[in-house]
Amino acid sequence: MIQRIQTVYLLIVAALFAAIVFLPLASLQSGDYLYNFDVTGLNSAVTQELVYPTWSLLALACIVCVFSFTIIFMYKKRVTQIRLCVYNALLIIGFCLLFGFYLWRFSNSPDLPDLSISIRLWVAFPIIALIINYLALRNIGADEAMIRSLERLR
């Protein structure tokens, strides 16, 4: 299990999404007010009060993290691993789209006039995780092809 490279790839995906849960994704400034945007929602930077909750981002980040660990421990069922990797990739894409939707919604909100958005470096983590998830998917497929070719030789 741990000697396979896709295990390392999936651990990296899980670590990236675990980091996303704890890191702020963007800073928003509207006039004199400063807000931090993370997966739990839009928080006031001064009082740490949750202004606008985005629990769906938190749920998607946690599901991707759990899926990655689940895929690792299903190493004897490679076809199921491939399917779950595809679902994991779709969830990561959904996370990126939902994050973009929330930023768009905040930028068009009448409650936040003259909004300036400063996106943090951590926003690249889902894209990196998507690429690494694809590498894991490709290596799982290569393992399955190798096992099938060896079964034909018997």
Side-chain angles (χ1 to χ4, degrees), residues 38-98:
D38 57 8
V39 292
T40 59
L42 191 64
N43 301 313
S44 173
V46 177
T47 61
Q48 297 299 323
E49 176 186 352
L50 186 63
V51 177
Y52 187 84
T54 57
W55 298 113
S56 54
L57 279 177
L58 179 64
L60 277 175
C62 291
I63 289 170
V64 167
C65 197
V66 168
F67 254 41
S68 297
F69 278 118
T70 304
I71 295 167
I72 290 171
F73 292 111
M74 299 186 77
Y75 59 92
K76 290 186 179 180
K77 300 176 184 176
R78 285 171 299 281
V79 175
T80 307
Q81 267 189 325
I82 291 171
R83 287 186 185 135
L84 287 178
C85 269
V86 170
Y87 295 146
N88 205 15
L90 292 175
L91 287 172
I92 293 171
I93 291 169
F95 179 89
C96 294
L97 292 175
L98 193 59

